[in-house]
Amino acid sequence: RIHVMRKLKFKLDRRSLQTIYYSFIRPLLEYADVVWDNCTQYEVNDLEKIQNEAARIVTGATKLVSINSLLLETGWETLSSRRKKHKLQLFFKMQNGLSPDYLSSLVPPTVGSTSNYPLRNATNLHTIHAKSQLYYNSFLPSVIRDWNELPDETRNSPSVSALKRKLNSNIAIPPRFYFAGKRLGQIYHARLRTNCSSLHQHLFAKNIVDSPLCACGAVEDTHHFLLLCNRFDNLRQELFDIVSTICRPTLDVLLFGKQECSLVQNRLIFLAVHDFVLKTKRFQIT
C-alpha cells in the first residue's frame, strides 16, 4: 500500500495522500495494538519506518529530512506514542465501567484504599509485579505505570472524548494552508521548510556536495534563495509585491505563514511562494 502511495506521489495532492494513509495504511499498523505493544524494539523501529516513509510521500520530503522535522511538518505522532494513548483510553474505559466485566475486574485498587496512612500517591493504582521483561511491557503492567504518571485532572476526565482531548493537547496540527496550491508547489515548499531540498547548503550538510555556495557566490540556504539571491530579483519582486499587501515578507512568513493572518491571506502567501519557486526553475523533482 505504501508502494501505491509512492506511485501517486506526484499525481495526488497532499491532503488526498494523507487521507489514503489515515484510511488504508495506519489502521493496519494499529490493529489491536494495545495487545502487542510489548513487541521488540526492532519491530517498533520497523513500524515507525513505514510511517516515516508515508510521511515523506505525503509531504514530498526526501530521505535527507530529519525525522523530527518530518513529524513536525505532518503533525503526526510516532506510532509508539499513539499506542500508549490507545492503552490509556482502554484503561479509562476499564476503570469507569465502560468495558466488559472481564476487563474492568482487572483494575487494581488504589494505594490509598489499602493503607491507613495519608500517602502522597494515594490516588495511584498498585503496580503489578512482573518477573519477566515481556510481561513487564505487556498491557496491564505498562498501562498502570503510564496511568499513574498522568495528572489527576487527566485521570478524572468526565468522558473518553475529554481524556482524548487532554492527551492530545500537546499535538501541533499543521495549518490548513499547508494544503494550498498544486502538488509540485507543495513539495518544493515542504522541502524548503524541512531543509531537505537540493539547495547546496542542504546537500552540503549531508556531505552530498563539496560546497554550500550558490552560483552567485553566497551560501545557498533557504534564506538566501527566498530573500537574497540576485539571480531571481525580478521574480522575488513579484513575490514581495503580493505578500507585502498582506504583511511584511520575512523568511518565517514565506515558509510557515503568519498566525495573525486569515486562512485566505495565508493561502495567498503560500501560492505566491509556490509561484516564485516554480518560476525560478531552481529545482528538479525527484
Side-chain angles (χ1 to χ4, degrees):
R1 297 189 186 195
I2 288 288
H3 181 64
V4 171
M5 283 186 65
R6 193 179 292 114
K7 285 284 193 178
L8 300 171
K9 180 177 180 179
F10 304 119
K11 297 178 181 179
L12 297 182
D13 62 16
R14 175 168 172 160
R15 188 183 299 278
S16 300
L17 289 167
Q18 179 171 278
T19 299
I20 290 174
Y21 175 68
Y22 283 171
S23 302
F24 300 111
I25 297 176
R26 193 166 69 180
L28 298 179
L29 303 178
E30 296 185 334
Y31 182 75
D33 58 0
V34 297
V35 176
W36 52 261
D37 188 39
N38 60 339
C39 58
T40 66
Q41 188 60 45
Y42 177 83
E43 291 164 330
V44 168
N45 294 340
D46 270 359
L47 289 169
E48 298 293 351
K49 288 177 183 177
I50 297 172
Q51 173 164 270
N52 294 340
E53 177 61 15
R56 281 191 288 265
I57 293 170
V58 168
T59 60
T62 68
K63 290 189 179 293
L64 300 181
V65 69
S66 75
I67 300 304
N68 286 339
S69 296
L70 194 59
L71 294 177
L72 284 174
E73 174 70 17
T74 56
W76 296 358
E77 297 178 276
T78 62
L79 294 174
S80 177
S81 176
R82 285 177 57 82
R83 288 195 295 273
K84 178 178 177 179
K85 291 180 179 179
H86 294 162
K87 292 194 298 183
L88 288 169
Q89 290 164 26
L90 175 58
F91 191 76
F92 177 89
K93 294 177 182 178
M94 293 167 58
Q95 195 175 42
N96 289 276
L98 302 175
S99 66
D101 290 341
Y102 69 86
L103 289 177
S104 296
S105 63
L106 298 176
V107 177
T110 61
V111 172
S113 66
T114 58
S115 174
N116 295 323
Y117 299 97
L119 302 174
R120 286 182 296 177
N121 64 340
T123 59
N124 284 359
L125 299 174
H126 277 286
T127 55
I128 295 178
H129 178 68
K131 293 183 178 180
S132 69
Q133 193 67 26
L134 186 65
Y135 182 52
Y136 180 80
N137 292 325
S138 65
F139 171 72
L140 199 57
S142 64
V143 77
I144 290 173
R145 295 195 302 272
D146 293 337
W147 183 263
N148 286 340
E149 292 178 359
L150 294 176
D152 287 341
E153 180 187 0
T154 303
R155 286 189 279 187
N156 296 329
S157 299
S159 64
V160 177
S161 58
L163 176 72
K164 288 181 181 179
R165 285 195 296 271
K166 290 173 182 176
L167 292 177
N168 294 329
S169 60
N170 63 332
I171 299 177
I173 301 175
R176 286 185 289 168
F177 50 83
Y178 275 31
F179 299 102
K182 296 183 179 179
R183 183 57 179 158
L184 281 185
Q186 292 175 351
I187 289 175
Y188 292 142
H189 206 178
R191 289 181 180 181
L192 290 173
R193 277 195 300 271
T194 54
N195 296 323
C196 68
S197 75
S198 56
L199 292 178
H200 288 166
Q201 193 274 335
H202 294 168
L203 298 178
F204 180 75
K206 301 294 183 178
N207 298 315
I208 295 176
V209 297
D210 296 329
S211 170
L213 300 183
C214 175
C216 70
V219 174
E220 191 186 34
D221 56 11
T222 306
H223 180 267
H224 173 76
F225 170 69
L226 288 177
L227 298 176
L228 301 175
C229 186
N230 56 27
R231 295 183 297 159
F232 311 121
D233 281 346
N234 292 335
L235 294 173
R236 185 176 297 106
Q237 189 58 52
E238 295 177 15
L239 169 65
F240 284 3
D241 288 344
I242 296 172
V243 177
S244 296
T245 62
I246 301 171
C247 62
R248 187 169 69 88
T250 64
L251 183 62
D252 277 351
V253 166
L254 298 180
L255 290 179
F256 305 103
K258 190 173 180 66
Q259 187 176 5
E260 293 77 13
C261 293
S262 68
L263 173 62
V264 172
Q265 290 174 322
N266 276 305
R267 281 178 58 87
L268 289 175
I269 292 171
F270 268 44
L271 292 176
V273 174
H274 293 183
D275 191 49
F276 167 79
V277 173
L278 292 171
K279 285 182 177 178
T280 64
K281 298 181 180 180
R282 171 60 185 81
F283 306 107
Q284 182 177 358
I285 198 66
T286 53

